[in-house]
Amino acid sequence: MAARLLPSWVWVSGLTAGATVAVVVLALQADKGPHPTAAAVRPSASASAGAHPSASKAPAKAPAVPAASGTGRRIVYSLGAKRVWTVDASDKATRTFTVWPGTVSPDPGTYTISKTLAATTGSDGVRIEHILYFASKSGLSVAFSNAVDGTSPPPAAGKQTSGIRMPKADGAALWTFGTEPNTKVTVVK
């Protein structure tokens, strides 16, 4: 029995369909969950030392610390930008990264880290670590944290949550910065 050869257009359309399916699957996988865009702010002198020679373009410049965020050593949280900065005593940003806020946000103002907790389970049932409490609203404690497994699932429908989640590496860095006594948190719009 001889094998029947298919016309070339069948092979091409089959390859095209297969490639399209592969692209759609990859796009769907990439769309699952948050995509951290964490960026460490580095002094310009060391920026070139950490650069990868194979990088094709320079990294985007990190957003500046909001002007109305106070002075001195502090954590700045922008509600609108969903971004956090750590700022040293000389008012220089040492790190900035995006966050995934819960459904309840703190009011703009200045707070002090009031409690720290190494690890627990969040109100959404997710194991979290590096918890820095600084405010309360609507009967909920507002805190920065990161999920132990590094994910940030969306809040359950109809459930109020006040955790401000971040990528795991940023959570560890914020923990180191925020556990210093009397660390201030400035929340801006």
Side-chain angles (χ1 to χ4, degrees):
M1 179 183 268
R4 182 170 179 235
L5 295 177
L6 296 174
S8 62
W9 66 269
V10 172
W11 286 101
V12 171
S13 62
L15 289 173
T16 302
T20 302
V21 168
V23 168
V24 169
V25 167
L26 290 173
L28 289 173
Q29 287 177 344
D31 198 36
K32 287 182 183 177
H35 300 285
T37 56
V41 177
R42 295 184 177 100
S44 59
S46 66
S48 61
H52 297 287
S54 62
S56 61
K57 63 180 182 176
K61 184 177 177 184
V65 177
S69 67
T71 60
R73 187 181 185 283
R74 65 198 182 279
I75 296 168
V76 177
Y77 172 41
S78 170
L79 298 168
K82 297 179 183 176
R83 179 172 285 278
V84 167
W85 292 261
T86 55
V87 181
D88 67 16
S90 67
D91 286 323
K92 182 178 180 204
T94 57
R95 188 178 189 101
T96 185
F97 49 90
T98 56
V99 295
W100 308 291
T103 59
V104 175
S105 295
D107 292 323
T110 301
Y111 305 87
T112 301
I113 299 292
S114 57
K115 180 181 173 184
T116 61
L117 190 59
T120 191
T121 299
S123 61
D124 57 359
V126 173
R127 291 287 305 158
I128 56 174
E129 62 186 353
H130 304 126
I131 305 114
L132 300 169
Y133 294 93
F134 66 92
S136 63
K137 186 169 180 185
S138 301
L140 299 172
S141 296
V142 179
F144 296 113
S145 66
N146 65 269
V148 171
D149 67 4
T151 64
S152 185
K159 186 161 182 114
Q160 288 192 323
T161 60
S162 57
I164 303 161
R165 300 276 171 79
M166 61 203 62
K168 192 170 176 91
D170 294 317
L174 192 63
W175 173 261
T176 299
F177 187 90
T179 53
E180 290 289 320
N182 301 313
T183 297
K184 300 286 183 204
V185 177
T186 302
V187 179
V188 297
K189 290 184 179 182

